[in-house]
Amino acid sequence: MLEHGGRLLRAAQRYGIAPADWLDLSTGINPEAWPVPAIPARAWHRLPEDEDGLHAAAREYYGAPEVLAVAGSQAAIQALPRLRAQARVGVLAPGYAEHAHAWRQAGHAVELCESERLLAQSERYDVVVLIHPNNPGGERYERATLLDLHARLAARGGWLLIDEAFIDATPERSLCADSARSGLIVLRSIGKFFGLAGARAGFVCAAPPLLAALRERLGPWTLSGPSRHAVQLALADRDWQARMRGRLLAQGERLGAVLRARGFAPDAGCAYFQWRRCEDAVELHEALARRGILTRLFETPASLRFGLPGDDAAYARLDAALAEIAAARSAA
């Protein structure tokens, strides 16, 4: 399996620092999670039922004509390549590596491309996979650009697959409302914006025939009863959502400012994280880890992703650590 952020217990063992003493910035998950209420006993006792209102709540929240609940967008990422015959697939890079991995595992010919090349040479591919905004590169796209790309692919039976896991803070950029178009598939995640990664919940927005095929592939009960209950309530909590969008956008800017002030300016980012490309990414990752701060290290390209600190104390701790590291480098 591929490496991901969030491996806090492994880091605790490696560096000899107790889990409770870490500042975990290794994921892009909102550190201020939606407050889950008590789960009713029936959610644990009964098998999940499609008529519980979850899909209706998701259609309303995403503005999508049709949706399918899945066990995190990861489940769809792994299953969708199995719904096509062997194809030429262009995948945005650097980006969430599970996309390319899943298409390769299913026997497709995969080519990793930077954003500009992928858009300019889309005729090379049967399927184009984008992450919007990109993780970790932060690329963003205009709606007209994406719809034009989709039209060109769909005209010859192709797909445009857009992973919108990090778009909830800027929902106006989403293509969910257009997802009834044949060949347009939009993935959404509950884990990032709502901070409910442990629920393992996500949604696929697409035309009904594709959703039916995906549902058949995944089988029944893709989402547990407790997760369905919590997610439905979270999707309906518009006051919390409105407040959180503003907070996340402000926190993303604040994190960028902290990094710049200490000489570690990010190259890209969004409301959930900041990303810095640097040849000494391993050394910076290690220096922070020795101080109990976990970041997400990427090998290609050499880079670090910083998730959001959860409060003022966490920001102060990160700032102090960066100041120490910068000072040590200046003295060396």
Side-chain angles (χ1 to χ4, degrees), residues 73-82 98 101-103 106 214 217-218:
S73 52
Q74 180 63 34
I77 289 170
Q78 293 177 209
L80 284 167
R82 309 285 175 175
E98 290 287 350
H101 182 66
W103 286 95
L214 181 58
R217 164 69 63 173
L218 294 173

Side-chain angles (χ1 to χ4, degrees), residues 30-53:
N30 181 359
E32 299 182 58
W34 182 77
V36 179
I39 303 295
R42 66 179 181 277
W44 297 99
H45 178 65
R46 296 182 58 82
L47 285 172
E49 298 187 68
D50 290 340
E51 297 78 15
D52 62 0

Side-chain angles (χ1 to χ4, degrees), residues 1 80 89 96 128 175 213 265 272 275 315:
M1 290 187 292
L80 284 167
V89 184
Y96 184 56
V128 170
L175 254 61
Y272 303 83
W275 182 58
Y315 273 101

Side-chain angles (χ1 to χ4, degrees), residues 213-253:
L214 181 58
R215 179 172 181 168
E216 187 68 20
R217 164 69 63 173
L218 294 173
W221 310 306
T222 57
L223 207 57
S224 72
S227 288
R228 293 181 72 98
H229 177 82
V231 168
Q232 183 174 340
L233 294 177
L235 291 172
D237 192 346
R238 300 309 171 84
D239 289 341
W240 184 91
Q241 294 160 17
R243 291 195 305 271
M244 188 51 62
R245 288 189 185 104
R247 287 185 61 81
L248 283 172
L249 291 169
Q251 293 304 310
E253 293 179 0

Side-chain angles (χ1 to χ4, degrees), residues 262-274:
R262 295 303 180 184
F264 300 96
D267 292 274
C270 66
Y272 303 83
F273 60 80
Q274 296 293 319

Side-chain angles (χ1 to χ4, degrees), residues 12-126:
Q13 294 173 357
R14 177 177 176 180
Y15 294 97
I17 301 173
D21 295 332
W22 282 85
L23 173 57
D24 186 3
L25 307 180
S26 68
T27 76
I29 297 167
N30 181 359
E32 299 182 58
W34 182 77
V36 179
I39 303 295
R42 66 179 181 277
W44 297 99
H45 178 65
R46 296 182 58 82
L47 285 172
E49 298 187 68
D50 290 340
E51 297 78 15
D52 62 0
L54 176 61
H55 279 126
R59 288 194 298 269
E60 177 70 19
Y61 175 76
Y62 294 121
E66 296 294 338
V67 302
L68 177 67
V70 292
S73 52
Q74 180 63 34
I77 289 170
Q78 293 177 209
L80 284 167
R82 309 285 175 175
L83 301 183
R84 281 197 71 106
Q86 191 170 34
R88 298 164 299 169
V89 184
V91 180
L92 177 63
Y96 184 56
E98 290 287 350
H99 286 287
H101 182 66
W103 286 95
R104 287 194 183 107
Q105 290 288 93
H108 300 277
V110 175
E111 187 173 326
L112 300 178
C113 302
E114 292 185 355
S115 182
E116 290 185 6
R117 180 184 171 197
L118 196 57
L119 294 177
Q121 301 182 13
S122 62
E123 71 279 357
R124 294 168 51 90
Y125 310 111
D126 305 301

Side-chain angles (χ1 to χ4, degrees), residues 303-329:
S303 55
L304 286 186
R305 189 187 65 198
F306 295 78
L308 298 178
D311 53 31
D312 290 345
Y315 273 101
R317 180 176 174 183
L318 174 62
D319 182 62
L322 293 173
E324 287 182 3
I325 295 168
R329 290 183 172 187

Side-chain angles (χ1 to χ4, degrees), residues 119-206:
L119 294 177
Q121 301 182 13
S122 62
E123 71 279 357
R124 294 168 51 90
Y125 310 111
D126 305 301
V127 177
V128 170
V129 180
L130 298 176
I131 303 100
H132 187 212
N134 188 22
N135 166 32
E139 290 93 335
R140 295 168 176 81
Y141 306 93
E142 295 299 325
R143 182 173 178 274
T145 300
L146 294 176
L147 291 178
D148 176 69
L149 173 59
H150 163 259
R152 285 184 275 126
L153 289 163
R156 46 192 171 82
W159 287 358
L160 174 59
L161 173 59
I162 306 177
D163 183 345
E164 294 186 345
F166 290 97
I167 211 166
D168 294 69
T170 53
E172 68 278 1
R173 291 181 170 271
S174 172
L175 254 61
C176 283
D178 303 285
S179 59
R181 305 183 187 201
S182 179
L184 178 59
I185 307 164
V186 182
L187 307 182
R188 296 296 292 260
S189 171
I190 293 297
K192 307 300 189 299
F193 177 67
F194 292 97
L196 300 179
R200 302 309 310 132
F203 292 89
V204 182
C205 307

